Amino acid sequence: MIKFFNTLGGKIETFHPLQEDTVKLYTCGPTVYDYAHIGNYRAYMFEDLLKRFLLFMGFDVIHVMNITDVDDKTIKGAIEQGVSLAEYTEKYVHAFFYGLETLGIMKADHYPRATENVQEMAALVKGLLEKGYAYEREGSYYFKIAKFSNYGKLSNIDQRELKEGVRVDSDEYEKESVQDFALWKAQKEDEPFWETEIGPGRPGWHIECSVMSAKYLGDTFDIHCGGVDNIFPHHENEIAQSEAFSGKKFVNYWLHCQHLIRDGEKMSKSRGNIITIQELIKNHGTDPMAIRLLLLSTHYRKMLNFTFDALDQAKSSLERINEFVAKLGSLSLKEGENPEVVTLVDEMRQKFIQGLSNDLNISSSLTAVFEMIKKVNILIAKEKILKTDAENLIKAIASINKILRVVSFPPNIHVNDGMKVGKDAQVKFLERSLSHKIDKKIKEREQARQQKNYALADKIRDDLMAQGVVLEDTKNGVRWKIIKK
Ligand code: AMP
Ligand code: ZN
């Protein structure tokens, strides 16, 4: 069972996607007005962890991440530098993808750009106008929040605080000004604009995500992510626009990550405390995988305090795993399998999955990995490791590395790094981790049957069934399989 903390409702919920096997995921992408810093990448890393975990658990994931290449900030930057919007944003788009690649973040299926979807945005504004949720003032269009009774349900804004008829033009504002927000901004001198069916102008930031998510994922989809600073007003406004237009629920699960902070403050350009990936690699010689591990290893709903000490710790954790794998690959071992190691591997696998299933509790998953490494290292020192153990250990690390994606395997070890593991892989994974226990239960059931204790035999079968394991009595003995729930 997978559980997530849903910002909408503010509690932990069991995850059920709309379609049994496919998760539709939208993650707010970068506003390409500057180089992304590691705070931004914390959000993308949390989303990568979420996506890899869902894939690992056998779901297909359709992932859309927008690129905001027109908004207040990009326009301001382009005007200041005296270049076109496209010229201004392009270098940041490139830098963003460079960062994703450097940190091993999986690519989304679609990266729609706001500037390529402007006519659709105008059409949505027109639709809201026709339904009475929007109004026009001097060529700009605003969302009438008083008309949308669910306004504030994501960020828990009291309806009484709504300032009816008062308008806010900027894309970003604080909770104190809960006002009618701009869906569309009238053409201004010097600003880029588009000719559309609602007149000349450009979209507000929030309408962009409503349009680009619906285009690829439909009116209702499973998960929407972002940083906590997106909850209000951005995501609140997305809900208002999308639900007012479609009349359907927009998103079932909202997941938000906490900020990366430095010296007690949110890392952000305006506070002047940013660090970029390039800076860490070039000036400090940091291994990108240490940055990845650092960003991954704090639970996403906790603040991550960036310090160079924390980065060093991530580096030594990474070295511990890499050295462990290298050692396993270099030992010359006797044939055979030590049951103690089999148990350690099974326990690690189960705890690893359990941790992540519990609202992506990566800390407990990583603890399970390092505990196993510690115990196996002791067994290696005592020469209690056999050939099959080493192979199983490497396979287990390779398997969890589909999610962590930080381990460097030495050239003599070949692992399948593919991520599209699918449902079969999930079942195989469970089979491997359960097989010893199930075999034991089957033997107990056989014994019970021989002793004609059919009540016990049936109970064992039913207990297994409750865990999703089905037994089949065949001519060649008892076979079992796992049914994915
Ligand atoms: P922006 O480009 O400012 O729109 O931010 C892109 C994404 O990065 C958003 O989801 C933000 O919530 C997130 N973000 C920005 N700063 C931080 C930070 N210091 N820690 C974590 N996430 C952040
Ligand atoms: Zn967005």
Side-chain angles (χ1 to χ4, degrees):
M1 210 175 356
I2 298 175
K3 292 183 174 186
F4 295 130
F5 180 87
N6 192 349
T7 309
L8 184 64
K11 55 180 194 297
I12 298 271
E13 288 178 23
T14 304
F15 177 64
H16 297 293
L18 288 162
Q19 284 171 32
E20 199 193 345
D21 290 340
T22 306
V23 178
K24 292 184 175 176
L25 170 70
Y26 186 89
T27 58
C28 283
T31 303
V32 281
Y33 72 104
D34 203 347
Y35 294 107
H37 52 77
I38 56 168
N40 300 122
Y41 283 104
R42 182 191 193 194
Y44 309 136
M45 189 62 73
F46 135 67
E47 290 152 1
D48 192 53
L49 176 67
L50 169 68
K51 179 175 170 182
R52 283 174 181 269
F53 175 60
L54 291 169
L55 287 169
F56 187 86
M57 294 306 280
F59 295 105
D60 282 329
V61 177
I62 305 174
H63 178 199
V64 180
M65 180 184 259
N66 65 295
I67 308 268
T68 298
D69 58 356
V70 53
D71 81 320
D72 294 350
K73 291 190 277 195
T74 44
I75 290 175
K76 185 166 170 269
I79 291 172
E80 273 168 14
Q81 289 189 7
V83 294
S84 73
L85 190 61
E87 196 182 328
Y88 178 74
T89 55
E90 208 49 37
K91 56 186 175 297
Y92 302 123
V93 173
H94 278 287
F96 165 69
F97 283 113
Y98 160 84
L100 292 188
E101 212 152 286
T102 309
L103 294 181
I105 293 175
M106 281 182 91
K107 285 272 175 73
D109 298 283
H110 306 279
Y111 287 105
R113 292 186 186 209
T115 51
E116 289 167 4
N117 292 278
V118 174
Q119 297 305 330
E120 288 93 329
M121 293 167 197
L124 179 54
V125 176
K126 186 160 174 256
L128 288 171
L129 202 62
E130 285 164 0
K131 288 176 191 234
Y133 286 100
Y135 60 91
E136 187 258 354
R137 287 288 177 281
E138 296 167 7
S140 290
Y141 294 81
Y142 298 87
F143 188 91
K144 206 188 284 180
I145 49 174
K147 165 108 176 150
F148 185 69
S149 58
N150 270 335
Y151 194 84
K153 69 177 175 177
L154 184 72
S155 52
N156 293 320
I157 283 173
D158 193 326
Q159 288 283 327
R160 285 168 308 182
E161 289 168 22
L162 309 186
K163 298 192 184 75
E164 207 170 323
V166 183
R167 289 179 294 281
V168 52
D169 277 297
S170 60
D171 285 333
E172 290 180 77
Y173 49 91
E174 300 298 322
K175 270 193 191 174
E176 293 74 58
S177 37
V178 189
Q179 297 167 4
D180 290 353
F181 59 91
L183 297 161
W184 182 263
K185 307 188 187 193
Q187 178 189 353
K188 276 196 207 138
E189 217 183 315
D190 297 336
E191 281 197 359
F193 70 96
W194 284 259
E195 288 292 353
T196 70
E197 58 185 314
I198 54 167
R202 51 116 175 164
W205 173 34
H206 318 297
I207 198 86
E208 298 181 3
C209 284
S210 282
V211 165
M212 291 186 275
S213 58
K215 180 167 174 177
Y216 294 95
L217 302 176
D219 289 336
T220 307
F221 57 93
D222 300 299
I223 307 180
H224 194 317
C225 300
V228 285
D229 55 337
N230 287 152
I231 298 173
F232 184 88
H234 186 49
H235 290 163
E236 196 68 73
N237 292 353
E238 280 186 40
I239 294 176
Q241 297 159 158
S242 296
E243 296 192 355
F245 180 72
S246 74
K248 297 176 200 155
K249 190 175 183 190
F250 178 40
V251 171
N252 283 334
Y253 302 88
W254 288 88
L255 272 61
H256 293 99
C257 78
Q258 260 298 350
H259 287 139
L260 181 143
I261 55 169
R262 196 178 175 198
D263 303 325
E265 289 204 311
K266 178 190 171 190
M267 183 172 281
S268 67
K269 199 184 170 216
S270 57
R271 290 178 176 85
N273 62 354
I274 64 164
I275 298 189
T276 62
I277 300 170
Q278 289 91 325
E279 210 177 313
L280 288 176
I281 296 172
K282 286 198 185 121
N283 302 353
H284 301 273
T286 310
D287 177 348
M289 289 305 104
I291 308 174
R292 181 175 168 95
L293 191 57
L294 174 72
L295 296 179
L296 271 183
S297 47
T298 298
H299 184 244
Y300 76 97
R301 285 196 291 120
K302 290 201 182 111
M303 287 207 214
L304 167 58
N305 185 20
F306 176 85
T307 60
F308 281 93
D309 277 351
L311 188 59
D312 282 345
Q313 269 171 36
K315 198 171 144 228
S316 48
S317 300
L318 181 64
E319 279 164 6
R320 246 192 6 225
I321 312 182
N322 285 341
E323 280 165 13
F324 179 69
V325 172
K327 184 154 65 176
L328 288 172
S330 67
L331 295 170
S332 48
L333 299 166
K334 286 192 210 131
E335 295 291 334
E337 192 177 46
N338 176 356
E340 216 179 322
V341 179
V342 173
T343 308
L344 285 177
V345 170
D346 282 352
E347 273 175 15
M348 184 281 283
R349 278 196 186 113
Q350 284 190 29
K351 283 186 190 162
F352 188 84
I353 294 194
Q354 267 166 16
L356 289 172
S357 302
N358 178 17
D359 192 31
L360 297 180
N361 188 346
I362 185 74
S363 322
S364 84
S365 298
L366 287 173
T367 303
V369 178
F370 288 109
E371 264 175 14
M372 181 195 75
I373 291 178
K374 198 166 138 195
K375 288 178 183 162
V376 172
N377 275 332
I378 295 170
L379 292 175
I380 293 175
K382 291 184 182 166
E383 297 187 2
K384 283 190 175 171
I385 294 279
L386 301 169
K387 203 168 170 197
T388 308
D389 298 325
E391 284 164 10
N392 287 341
L393 285 160
I394 289 168
K395 270 191 218 152
I397 299 275
S399 169
I400 57 162
N401 196 46
K402 286 178 194 284
I403 296 179
L404 300 177
R405 208 220 165 268
V406 292
V407 184
S408 308
F409 290 91
N412 64 327
I413 297 178
H414 299 286
V415 294
N416 171 16
D417 253 352
M419 190 58 229
K420 280 270 170 199
V421 288
K423 195 169 173 178
D424 289 348
Q426 180 196 358
V427 170
K428 285 207 186 77
F429 187 91
L430 283 171
E431 278 173 355
R432 276 201 305 271
S433 45
L434 288 174
S435 63
H436 291 274
K437 281 185 196 150
I438 295 171
D439 288 343
K440 205 166 141 235
K441 287 280 166 204
I442 289 174
K443 274 194 196 125
E444 286 173 17
R445 179 169 168 261
E446 287 304 293
Q447 271 176 7
R449 290 215 289 195
Q450 276 162 16
Q451 292 159 3
K452 301 206 178 337
N453 186 348
Y454 296 115
L456 177 62
D458 286 350
K459 183 178 179 307
I460 294 172
R461 190 198 53 209
D462 293 345
D463 286 351
L464 286 169
M465 177 78 106
Q467 294 171 38
V469 180
V470 179
L471 300 185
E472 286 173 356
D473 294 304
T474 72
K475 274 185 286 183
N476 302 321
V478 182
R479 287 222 306 252
W480 57 270
K481 65 179 180 192
I482 289 181
I483 300 188
K484 186 172 169 257
K485 286 183 198 164

